[in-house]
Amino acid sequence: MEQSYPIKRIVDDEGFFVDASFDKQIDEQLVQELYYHMLRIRTFDRKAINLQRQGRLGTYAPFEGQEAAQVGSALALNANDWVFPTYRDHGATITFGKSMATTFLYWNGRVEGCKAPADRNVFPPAVPIATQLPHAAGAAWAEKKRGTPNAAIAYFGDGATSEGDFHEGLNFASVFKVPVVFFNQNNGYAISVPIEKQMNSATIAQKSVAYGIPGFRIDGNDCFAVYFTTKEAFDNARCGNGPTLIEAVTWRKGAHTTADDPSKYRPAQQGKDIVDPLTRLELFMKNYGYWNEEWIQATQEKTTREVEVAVEEMEKFPPPNVEDVFNHVYAEMPAQLAEQKEAYLAHLGRQ
Ligand SMILES: Cc1ncc(C[n+]2csc(CCOP(=O)(O)OP(=O)(O)O)c2C)c(N)n1
Ligand SMILES: [Mg+2]
């Protein structure tokens, strides 16, 4: 099966075309868009880790290493599509249009951080693994019934394929031929569990056969392979051809979250041979005449500034109302909870 699903690449580790037929579809605008967004979310990601270490942000799930998978897929969407992310896909949601300040708020435990921008359909990150797959199938079904050209994307990890919701989402979507793209980021691990202990099949892409839908296995660190494959899947979805399963093979460079220590379960050398997705795009830019030192410099300054402004915005946000923890659990507050609320407020000296 690994032979039936070889990893598709457009550009190799040295930044040279494997498939030069794509040359005609790649222009400066696309290259710069991919680079800008990948650098932007990397800057966000590294800043978030620093903020967490300084006690200015809660527990955070980093995505360094997965920038090409997240940006390449998000740039293939239309503004009216639906995005169903996990807790690791804020690179994709920021690229799609969720603000960085709102995303920081989410990682500070603020309910306001779950809010989608007015002009984008972005669900809050799904923490319960794979629950967003049936949601995405449902949203896509609704769009199909309404007769719109809109589609949905469900982001999920390798570990999510072991959940019942994976089957339910793919089965429903394929039976009803709904416009949804199941975008898997196979980053090798589900917390400390390596993929080979997670499943018995050689690839995730081959699971598409069971649902009678197209499946692609791509190099998730090749932003062009991700972008063009996701675009093709969306074109198909919009034409009424139903769902696609994409397995983007990538690598989580860092920890599962800031509360995790991967040195406890990952061999030190593992993943060291994988060329960083941004480095790969830089090599491509140098090889094919897209490298422009001035533009790179300006983009670095711009993204650094954007992240700084977002941090300021997050830190200026009014403090949370502690009563919210109690107020929004039940329509009518049970006596026991009312008692706990009263005791807590008294503890804070507020009663
Ligand atoms: C239903 C459910 N079971 C268990 C967990 C605990 N959990 C949190 S993240 C995670 C691993 C998920 O791995 P994967 O799907 O590969 O995504 P990744 O974190 O690698 O992006 C688990 C098991 C959970 N959040 N939800
Ligand atoms: Mg994983």
PDB file of all heavy atoms in Angstrom, residues 61-62 66 86-89 126-131 156-161 163 184-193 198 252 256-257, ligand 1:
ATOM      1  N   ALA A  61      -0.053  24.850  22.363  1.00  0.00           N
ATOM      2  CA  ALA A  61       0.302  23.731  21.466  1.00  0.00           C
ATOM      3  C   ALA A  61       1.035  24.272  20.238  1.00  0.00           C
ATOM      4  O   ALA A  61       0.425  24.916  19.383  1.00  0.00           O
ATOM      5  CB  ALA A  61      -0.961  22.989  21.029  1.00  0.00           C
ATOM      6  N   PRO A  62       2.341  24.055  20.146  1.00  0.00           N
ATOM      7  CA  PRO A  62       3.106  24.614  19.023  1.00  0.00           C
ATOM      8  C   PRO A  62       2.964  23.781  17.743  1.00  0.00           C
ATOM      9  O   PRO A  62       2.668  22.589  17.806  1.00  0.00           O
ATOM     10  CB  PRO A  62       4.550  24.559  19.521  1.00  0.00           C
ATOM     11  CG  PRO A  62       4.585  23.552  20.611  1.00  0.00           C
ATOM     12  CD  PRO A  62       3.183  23.308  21.091  1.00  0.00           C
ATOM     13  N   GLN A  66       5.114  22.373  10.831  1.00  0.00           N
ATOM     14  CA  GLN A  66       3.887  22.077  10.089  1.00  0.00           C
ATOM     15  C   GLN A  66       3.364  23.308   9.328  1.00  0.00           C
ATOM     16  O   GLN A  66       2.211  23.334   8.894  1.00  0.00           O
ATOM     17  CB  GLN A  66       2.817  21.527  11.049  1.00  0.00           C
ATOM     18  CG  GLN A  66       3.271  20.264  11.756  1.00  0.00           C
ATOM     19  CD  GLN A  66       2.243  19.631  12.693  1.00  0.00           C
ATOM     20  OE1 GLN A  66       2.605  19.019  13.688  1.00  0.00           O
ATOM     21  NE2 GLN A  66       0.956  19.763  12.391  1.00  0.00           N
ATOM     22  N   THR A  86      -8.173  21.821  14.831  1.00  0.00           N
ATOM     23  CA  THR A  86      -7.858  21.277  16.148  1.00  0.00           C
ATOM     24  C   THR A  86      -7.095  22.359  16.916  1.00  0.00           C
ATOM     25  O   THR A  86      -6.862  23.455  16.399  1.00  0.00           O
ATOM     26  CB  THR A  86      -6.935  20.044  16.091  1.00  0.00           C
ATOM     27  OG1 THR A  86      -5.595  20.482  15.777  1.00  0.00           O
ATOM     28  CG2 THR A  86      -7.389  19.039  15.058  1.00  0.00           C
ATOM     29  N   TYR A  87      -6.655  21.989  18.091  1.00  0.00           N
ATOM     30  CA  TYR A  87      -5.856  22.883  18.951  1.00  0.00           C
ATOM     31  C   TYR A  87      -4.472  23.174  18.348  1.00  0.00           C
ATOM     32  O   TYR A  87      -3.725  23.963  18.897  1.00  0.00           O
ATOM     33  CB  TYR A  87      -5.658  22.227  20.327  1.00  0.00           C
ATOM     34  CG  TYR A  87      -5.209  20.795  20.157  1.00  0.00           C
ATOM     35  CD1 TYR A  87      -3.878  20.480  19.897  1.00  0.00           C
ATOM     36  CD2 TYR A  87      -6.134  19.755  20.133  1.00  0.00           C
ATOM     37  CE1 TYR A  87      -3.470  19.191  19.628  1.00  0.00           C
ATOM     38  CE2 TYR A  87      -5.741  18.458  19.873  1.00  0.00           C
ATOM     39  CZ  TYR A  87      -4.403  18.190  19.620  1.00  0.00           C
ATOM     40  OH  TYR A  87      -4.005  16.909  19.333  1.00  0.00           O
ATOM     41  N   ARG A  88      -4.064  22.485  17.264  1.00  0.00           N
ATOM     42  CA  ARG A  88      -2.735  22.742  16.699  1.00  0.00           C
ATOM     43  C   ARG A  88      -2.813  23.499  15.360  1.00  0.00           C
ATOM     44  O   ARG A  88      -1.802  23.716  14.714  1.00  0.00           O
ATOM     45  CB  ARG A  88      -1.959  21.427  16.488  1.00  0.00           C
ATOM     46  CG  ARG A  88      -0.423  21.658  16.461  1.00  0.00           C
ATOM     47  CD  ARG A  88       0.355  20.398  16.218  1.00  0.00           C
ATOM     48  NE  ARG A  88       0.098  19.378  17.190  1.00  0.00           N
ATOM     49  CZ  ARG A  88       0.466  19.429  18.462  1.00  0.00           C
ATOM     50  NH1 ARG A  88       1.141  20.455  18.916  1.00  0.00           N
ATOM     51  NH2 ARG A  88       0.164  18.454  19.296  1.00  0.00           N
ATOM     52  N   ASP A  89      -4.030  23.876  14.960  1.00  0.00           N
ATOM     53  CA  ASP A  89      -4.179  24.414  13.609  1.00  0.00           C
ATOM     54  C   ASP A  89      -4.381  25.918  13.570  1.00  0.00           C
ATOM     55  O   ASP A  89      -4.957  26.452  12.616  1.00  0.00           O
ATOM     56  CB  ASP A  89      -5.340  23.695  12.908  1.00  0.00           C
ATOM     57  CG  ASP A  89      -5.058  22.210  12.825  1.00  0.00           C
ATOM     58  OD1 ASP A  89      -3.940  21.853  12.402  1.00  0.00           O
ATOM     59  OD2 ASP A  89      -5.928  21.407  13.227  1.00  0.00           O
ATOM     60  N   ALA A 126     -11.107  22.198  18.103  1.00  0.00           N
ATOM     61  CA  ALA A 126     -11.656  20.995  18.745  1.00  0.00           C
ATOM     62  C   ALA A 126     -10.545  20.359  19.584  1.00  0.00           C
ATOM     63  O   ALA A 126      -9.498  19.983  19.041  1.00  0.00           O
ATOM     64  CB  ALA A 126     -12.147  20.014  17.695  1.00  0.00           C
ATOM     65  N   VAL A 127     -10.755  20.273  20.868  1.00  0.00           N
ATOM     66  CA  VAL A 127      -9.791  19.592  21.739  1.00  0.00           C
ATOM     67  C   VAL A 127     -10.138  18.107  21.854  1.00  0.00           C
ATOM     68  O   VAL A 127      -9.241  17.264  21.804  1.00  0.00           O
ATOM     69  CB  VAL A 127      -9.670  20.302  23.107  1.00  0.00           C
ATOM     70  CG1 VAL A 127      -8.730  19.549  24.037  1.00  0.00           C
ATOM     71  CG2 VAL A 127      -9.158  21.729  22.907  1.00  0.00           C
ATOM     72  N   PRO A 128     -11.419  17.746  21.992  1.00  0.00           N
ATOM     73  CA  PRO A 128     -11.750  16.304  21.969  1.00  0.00           C
ATOM     74  C   PRO A 128     -11.432  15.750  20.576  1.00  0.00           C
ATOM     75  O   PRO A 128     -12.010  16.203  19.579  1.00  0.00           O
ATOM     76  CB  PRO A 128     -13.247  16.266  22.259  1.00  0.00           C
ATOM     77  CG  PRO A 128     -13.615  17.647  22.704  1.00  0.00           C
ATOM     78  CD  PRO A 128     -12.622  18.581  22.099  1.00  0.00           C
ATOM     79  N   ILE A 129     -10.512  14.816  20.537  1.00  0.00           N
ATOM     80  CA  ILE A 129      -9.950  14.373  19.255  1.00  0.00           C
ATOM     81  C   ILE A 129     -11.019  13.839  18.296  1.00  0.00           C
ATOM     82  O   ILE A 129     -11.828  12.994  18.665  1.00  0.00           O
ATOM     83  CB  ILE A 129      -8.882  13.275  19.496  1.00  0.00           C
ATOM     84  CG1 ILE A 129      -7.787  13.775  20.445  1.00  0.00           C
ATOM     85  CG2 ILE A 129      -8.275  12.780  18.184  1.00  0.00           C
ATOM     86  CD1 ILE A 129      -7.025  14.978  19.980  1.00  0.00           C
ATOM     87  N   ALA A 130     -10.970  14.345  17.068  1.00  0.00           N
ATOM     88  CA  ALA A 130     -11.770  13.893  15.912  1.00  0.00           C
ATOM     89  C   ALA A 130     -13.234  14.327  15.917  1.00  0.00           C
ATOM     90  O   ALA A 130     -13.954  14.066  14.957  1.00  0.00           O
ATOM     91  CB  ALA A 130     -11.685  12.376  15.717  1.00  0.00           C
ATOM     92  N   THR A 131     -13.672  15.004  16.970  1.00  0.00           N
ATOM     93  CA  THR A 131     -15.092  15.402  17.010  1.00  0.00           C
ATOM     94  C   THR A 131     -15.448  16.367  15.884  1.00  0.00           C
ATOM     95  O   THR A 131     -16.614  16.475  15.509  1.00  0.00           O
ATOM     96  CB  THR A 131     -15.433  16.070  18.359  1.00  0.00           C
ATOM     97  OG1 THR A 131     -14.442  17.075  18.644  1.00  0.00           O
ATOM     98  CG2 THR A 131     -15.454  15.055  19.485  1.00  0.00           C
ATOM     99  N   PHE A 156      -7.112  17.452  11.088  1.00  0.00           N
ATOM    100  CA  PHE A 156      -6.994  16.456  12.160  1.00  0.00           C
ATOM    101  C   PHE A 156      -5.627  15.785  12.088  1.00  0.00           C
ATOM    102  O   PHE A 156      -4.962  15.794  11.048  1.00  0.00           O
ATOM    103  CB  PHE A 156      -8.124  15.413  12.093  1.00  0.00           C
ATOM    104  CG  PHE A 156      -8.181  14.643  10.803  1.00  0.00           C
ATOM    105  CD1 PHE A 156      -7.748  13.325  10.747  1.00  0.00           C
ATOM    106  CD2 PHE A 156      -8.665  15.231   9.634  1.00  0.00           C
ATOM    107  CE1 PHE A 156      -7.791  12.611   9.556  1.00  0.00           C
ATOM    108  CE2 PHE A 156      -8.703  14.527   8.441  1.00  0.00           C
ATOM    109  CZ  PHE A 156      -8.269  13.214   8.402  1.00  0.00           C
ATOM    110  N   GLY A 157      -5.239  15.192  13.205  1.00  0.00           N
ATOM    111  CA  GLY A 157      -3.922  14.565  13.276  1.00  0.00           C
ATOM    112  C   GLY A 157      -3.966  13.074  13.011  1.00  0.00           C
ATOM    113  O   GLY A 157      -5.043  12.483  12.821  1.00  0.00           O
ATOM    114  N   ASP A 158      -2.802  12.461  12.993  1.00  0.00           N
ATOM    115  CA  ASP A 158      -2.701  11.012  12.764  1.00  0.00           C
ATOM    116  C   ASP A 158      -3.457  10.234  13.849  1.00  0.00           C
ATOM    117  O   ASP A 158      -4.148   9.257  13.575  1.00  0.00           O
ATOM    118  CB  ASP A 158      -1.233  10.579  12.708  1.00  0.00           C
ATOM    119  CG  ASP A 158      -0.368  11.297  13.723  1.00  0.00           C
ATOM    120  OD1 ASP A 158      -0.156  12.514  13.565  1.00  0.00           O
ATOM    121  OD2 ASP A 158       0.067  10.654  14.694  1.00  0.00           O
ATOM    122  N   GLY A 159      -3.339  10.699  15.095  1.00  0.00           N
ATOM    123  CA  GLY A 159      -4.009  10.004  16.203  1.00  0.00           C
ATOM    124  C   GLY A 159      -5.516  10.006  16.053  1.00  0.00           C
ATOM    125  O   GLY A 159      -6.201   9.061  16.477  1.00  0.00           O
ATOM    126  N   ALA A 160      -6.053  11.043  15.422  1.00  0.00           N
ATOM    127  CA  ALA A 160      -7.505  11.168  15.266  1.00  0.00           C
ATOM    128  C   ALA A 160      -8.097  10.052  14.407  1.00  0.00           C
ATOM    129  O   ALA A 160      -9.286   9.748  14.506  1.00  0.00           O
ATOM    130  CB  ALA A 160      -7.844  12.522  14.656  1.00  0.00           C
ATOM    131  N   THR A 161      -7.257   9.422  13.572  1.00  0.00           N
ATOM    132  CA  THR A 161      -7.785   8.373  12.687  1.00  0.00           C
ATOM    133  C   THR A 161      -8.169   7.109  13.462  1.00  0.00           C
ATOM    134  O   THR A 161      -8.807   6.222  12.920  1.00  0.00           O
ATOM    135  CB  THR A 161      -6.765   8.003  11.586  1.00  0.00           C
ATOM    136  OG1 THR A 161      -5.588   7.477  12.208  1.00  0.00           O
ATOM    137  CG2 THR A 161      -6.382   9.213  10.757  1.00  0.00           C
ATOM    138  N   GLU A 163     -10.077   7.229  16.095  1.00  0.00           N
ATOM    139  CA  GLU A 163     -11.339   7.539  16.785  1.00  0.00           C
ATOM    140  C   GLU A 163     -12.547   7.144  15.935  1.00  0.00           C
ATOM    141  O   GLU A 163     -12.501   7.221  14.701  1.00  0.00           O
ATOM    142  CB  GLU A 163     -11.421   9.044  17.079  1.00  0.00           C
ATOM    143  CG  GLU A 163     -10.482   9.511  18.171  1.00  0.00           C
ATOM    144  CD  GLU A 163     -11.022   9.197  19.575  1.00  0.00           C
ATOM    145  OE1 GLU A 163     -12.136   8.647  19.679  1.00  0.00           O
ATOM    146  OE2 GLU A 163     -10.317   9.506  20.541  1.00  0.00           O
ATOM    147  N   ASN A 184      -5.531  15.665   6.779  1.00  0.00           N
ATOM    148  CA  ASN A 184      -4.785  15.044   7.871  1.00  0.00           C
ATOM    149  C   ASN A 184      -3.348  15.535   7.890  1.00  0.00           C
ATOM    150  O   ASN A 184      -2.672  15.544   6.859  1.00  0.00           O
ATOM    151  CB  ASN A 184      -4.811  13.517   7.684  1.00  0.00           C
ATOM    152  CG  ASN A 184      -3.929  12.827   8.696  1.00  0.00           C
ATOM    153  OD1 ASN A 184      -2.803  12.464   8.401  1.00  0.00           O
ATOM    154  ND2 ASN A 184      -4.425  12.683   9.900  1.00  0.00           N
ATOM    155  N   GLN A 185      -2.877  15.934   9.066  1.00  0.00           N
ATOM    156  CA  GLN A 185      -1.448  16.227   9.221  1.00  0.00           C
ATOM    157  C   GLN A 185      -0.844  15.085  10.012  1.00  0.00           C
ATOM    158  O   GLN A 185      -1.052  14.982  11.234  1.00  0.00           O
ATOM    159  CB  GLN A 185      -1.236  17.546   9.959  1.00  0.00           C
ATOM    160  CG  GLN A 185      -1.522  18.759   9.097  1.00  0.00           C
ATOM    161  CD  GLN A 185      -1.612  20.022   9.923  1.00  0.00           C
ATOM    162  OE1 GLN A 185      -0.609  20.669  10.168  1.00  0.00           O
ATOM    163  NE2 GLN A 185      -2.811  20.363  10.360  1.00  0.00           N
ATOM    164  N   ASN A 186      -0.163  14.231   9.298  1.00  0.00           N
ATOM    165  CA  ASN A 186       0.505  13.111   9.943  1.00  0.00           C
ATOM    166  C   ASN A 186       1.874  13.614  10.420  1.00  0.00           C
ATOM    167  O   ASN A 186       2.832  13.663   9.654  1.00  0.00           O
ATOM    168  CB  ASN A 186       0.638  11.958   8.943  1.00  0.00           C
ATOM    169  CG  ASN A 186       1.422  10.799   9.509  1.00  0.00           C
ATOM    170  OD1 ASN A 186       1.919  10.848  10.635  1.00  0.00           O
ATOM    171  ND2 ASN A 186       1.538   9.740   8.726  1.00  0.00           N
ATOM    172  N   ASN A 187       1.917  14.003  11.700  1.00  0.00           N
ATOM    173  CA  ASN A 187       3.173  14.557  12.236  1.00  0.00           C
ATOM    174  C   ASN A 187       3.945  13.513  13.047  1.00  0.00           C
ATOM    175  O   ASN A 187       4.827  13.831  13.826  1.00  0.00           O
ATOM    176  CB  ASN A 187       2.910  15.819  13.071  1.00  0.00           C
ATOM    177  CG  ASN A 187       2.081  15.550  14.314  1.00  0.00           C
ATOM    178  OD1 ASN A 187       1.776  14.404  14.636  1.00  0.00           O
ATOM    179  ND2 ASN A 187       1.726  16.592  15.031  1.00  0.00           N
ATOM    180  N   GLY A 188       3.569  12.247  12.842  1.00  0.00           N
ATOM    181  CA  GLY A 188       4.357  11.151  13.413  1.00  0.00           C
ATOM    182  C   GLY A 188       3.952  10.699  14.800  1.00  0.00           C
ATOM    183  O   GLY A 188       4.210   9.551  15.172  1.00  0.00           O
ATOM    184  N   TYR A 189       3.308  11.566  15.549  1.00  0.00           N
ATOM    185  CA  TYR A 189       2.995  11.232  16.944  1.00  0.00           C
ATOM    186  C   TYR A 189       1.613  11.730  17.375  1.00  0.00           C
ATOM    187  O   TYR A 189       1.152  12.780  16.913  1.00  0.00           O
ATOM    188  CB  TYR A 189       4.019  11.878  17.899  1.00  0.00           C
ATOM    189  CG  TYR A 189       5.306  11.094  17.990  1.00  0.00           C
ATOM    190  CD1 TYR A 189       6.307  11.276  17.041  1.00  0.00           C
ATOM    191  CD2 TYR A 189       5.513  10.169  19.005  1.00  0.00           C
ATOM    192  CE1 TYR A 189       7.493  10.543  17.102  1.00  0.00           C
ATOM    193  CE2 TYR A 189       6.687   9.443  19.075  1.00  0.00           C
ATOM    194  CZ  TYR A 189       7.676   9.632  18.125  1.00  0.00           C
ATOM    195  OH  TYR A 189       8.830   8.910  18.197  1.00  0.00           O
ATOM    196  N   ALA A 190       0.997  10.977  18.270  1.00  0.00           N
ATOM    197  CA  ALA A 190      -0.170  11.438  19.012  1.00  0.00           C
ATOM    198  C   ALA A 190       0.314  11.538  20.470  1.00  0.00           C
ATOM    199  O   ALA A 190       0.442  10.518  21.147  1.00  0.00           O
ATOM    200  CB  ALA A 190      -1.324  10.470  18.882  1.00  0.00           C
ATOM    201  N   ILE A 191       0.634  12.715  20.894  1.00  0.00           N
ATOM    202  CA  ILE A 191       1.409  12.967  22.120  1.00  0.00           C
ATOM    203  C   ILE A 191       2.651  12.070  22.058  1.00  0.00           C
ATOM    204  O   ILE A 191       3.508  12.279  21.209  1.00  0.00           O
ATOM    205  CB  ILE A 191       0.609  12.803  23.434  1.00  0.00           C
ATOM    206  CG1 ILE A 191      -0.781  13.497  23.346  1.00  0.00           C
ATOM    207  CG2 ILE A 191       1.393  13.439  24.601  1.00  0.00           C
ATOM    208  CD1 ILE A 191      -1.583  13.516  24.635  1.00  0.00           C
ATOM    209  N   SER A 192       2.704  11.010  22.898  1.00  0.00           N
ATOM    210  CA  SER A 192       3.911  10.180  22.940  1.00  0.00           C
ATOM    211  C   SER A 192       3.779   8.889  22.125  1.00  0.00           C
ATOM    212  O   SER A 192       4.698   8.078  22.107  1.00  0.00           O
ATOM    213  CB  SER A 192       4.216   9.820  24.402  1.00  0.00           C
ATOM    214  OG  SER A 192       3.081   9.188  24.958  1.00  0.00           O
ATOM    215  N   VAL A 193       2.630   8.702  21.466  1.00  0.00           N
ATOM    216  CA  VAL A 193       2.406   7.437  20.736  1.00  0.00           C
ATOM    217  C   VAL A 193       2.807   7.592  19.271  1.00  0.00           C
ATOM    218  O   VAL A 193       2.199   8.376  18.541  1.00  0.00           O
ATOM    219  CB  VAL A 193       0.921   6.993  20.844  1.00  0.00           C
ATOM    220  CG1 VAL A 193       0.693   5.688  20.091  1.00  0.00           C
ATOM    221  CG2 VAL A 193       0.512   6.850  22.299  1.00  0.00           C
ATOM    222  N   GLN A 198      -0.010   3.371  16.484  1.00  0.00           N
ATOM    223  CA  GLN A 198      -1.360   3.947  16.404  1.00  0.00           C
ATOM    224  C   GLN A 198      -2.249   3.161  15.444  1.00  0.00           C
ATOM    225  O   GLN A 198      -3.456   3.058  15.628  1.00  0.00           O
ATOM    226  CB  GLN A 198      -1.237   5.389  15.926  1.00  0.00           C
ATOM    227  CG  GLN A 198      -2.509   6.193  15.897  1.00  0.00           C
ATOM    228  CD  GLN A 198      -2.944   6.653  17.256  1.00  0.00           C
ATOM    229  OE1 GLN A 198      -4.085   6.436  17.629  1.00  0.00           O
ATOM    230  NE2 GLN A 198      -2.037   7.230  18.013  1.00  0.00           N
ATOM    231  N   ARG A 252       6.213  17.264  13.690  1.00  0.00           N
ATOM    232  CA  ARG A 252       6.082  18.226  14.783  1.00  0.00           C
ATOM    233  C   ARG A 252       7.462  18.406  15.392  1.00  0.00           C
ATOM    234  O   ARG A 252       7.971  17.508  16.051  1.00  0.00           O
ATOM    235  CB  ARG A 252       5.104  17.647  15.814  1.00  0.00           C
ATOM    236  CG  ARG A 252       4.725  18.585  16.932  1.00  0.00           C
ATOM    237  CD  ARG A 252       4.033  17.813  18.054  1.00  0.00           C
ATOM    238  NE  ARG A 252       4.990  17.176  18.936  1.00  0.00           N
ATOM    239  CZ  ARG A 252       4.776  16.068  19.633  1.00  0.00           C
ATOM    240  NH1 ARG A 252       3.641  15.425  19.552  1.00  0.00           N
ATOM    241  NH2 ARG A 252       5.713  15.582  20.424  1.00  0.00           N
ATOM    242  N   HIS A 256       4.491  18.314  22.220  1.00  0.00           N
ATOM    243  CA  HIS A 256       3.045  18.230  21.973  1.00  0.00           C
ATOM    244  C   HIS A 256       2.368  19.526  22.436  1.00  0.00           C
ATOM    245  O   HIS A 256       1.575  20.119  21.725  1.00  0.00           O
ATOM    246  CB  HIS A 256       2.476  17.023  22.712  1.00  0.00           C
ATOM    247  CG  HIS A 256       0.986  16.962  22.675  1.00  0.00           C
ATOM    248  ND1 HIS A 256       0.281  16.670  21.527  1.00  0.00           N
ATOM    249  CD2 HIS A 256       0.055  17.192  23.635  1.00  0.00           C
ATOM    250  CE1 HIS A 256      -1.019  16.713  21.792  1.00  0.00           C
ATOM    251  NE2 HIS A 256      -1.172  17.029  23.044  1.00  0.00           N
ATOM    252  N   THR A 257       2.683  19.916  23.660  1.00  0.00           N
ATOM    253  CA  THR A 257       2.287  21.234  24.172  1.00  0.00           C
ATOM    254  C   THR A 257       3.434  21.716  25.067  1.00  0.00           C
ATOM    255  O   THR A 257       4.395  20.975  25.307  1.00  0.00           O
ATOM    256  CB  THR A 257       1.011  21.191  25.056  1.00  0.00           C
ATOM    257  OG1 THR A 257       1.303  20.485  26.262  1.00  0.00           O
ATOM    258  CG2 THR A 257      -0.168  20.552  24.356  1.00  0.00           C
TER     259      THR A 257
HETATM  260  C1  LIG B   1     -11.348  12.054  22.690  1.00  0.00           C
HETATM  261  C2  LIG B   1     -10.003  12.407  23.224  1.00  0.00           C
HETATM  262  N1  LIG B   1      -9.184  11.448  23.705  1.00  0.00           N
HETATM  263  C3  LIG B   1      -7.962  11.750  24.183  1.00  0.00           C
HETATM  264  C4  LIG B   1      -7.542  13.064  24.225  1.00  0.00           C
HETATM  265  C5  LIG B   1      -6.159  13.406  24.764  1.00  0.00           C
HETATM  266  N2  LIG B   1      -5.324  13.884  23.653  1.00  0.00           N
HETATM  267  C6  LIG B   1      -5.065  15.184  23.464  1.00  0.00           C
HETATM  268  S1  LIG B   1      -4.095  15.454  22.125  1.00  0.00           S
HETATM  269  C7  LIG B   1      -3.989  13.796  21.802  1.00  0.00           C
HETATM  270  C8  LIG B   1      -3.160  13.294  20.647  1.00  0.00           C
HETATM  271  C9  LIG B   1      -3.740  13.578  19.306  1.00  0.00           C
HETATM  272  O1  LIG B   1      -2.791  13.280  18.323  1.00  0.00           O
HETATM  273  P1  LIG B   1      -2.982  13.649  16.822  1.00  0.00           P
HETATM  274  O2  LIG B   1      -4.394  13.401  16.404  1.00  0.00           O
HETATM  275  O3  LIG B   1      -1.933  12.967  16.038  1.00  0.00           O
HETATM  276  O4  LIG B   1      -2.779  15.245  16.775  1.00  0.00           O
HETATM  277  P2  LIG B   1      -1.456  16.084  17.099  1.00  0.00           P
HETATM  278  O5  LIG B   1      -1.535  16.447  18.563  1.00  0.00           O
HETATM  279  O6  LIG B   1      -0.274  15.260  16.766  1.00  0.00           O
HETATM  280  O7  LIG B   1      -1.563  17.314  16.255  1.00  0.00           O
HETATM  281  C10 LIG B   1      -4.703  13.057  22.748  1.00  0.00           C
HETATM  282  C11 LIG B   1      -4.779  11.596  22.751  1.00  0.00           C
HETATM  283  C12 LIG B   1      -8.426  14.048  23.758  1.00  0.00           C
HETATM  284  N3  LIG B   1      -8.104  15.340  23.732  1.00  0.00           N
HETATM  285  N4  LIG B   1      -9.641  13.701  23.252  1.00  0.00           N
END
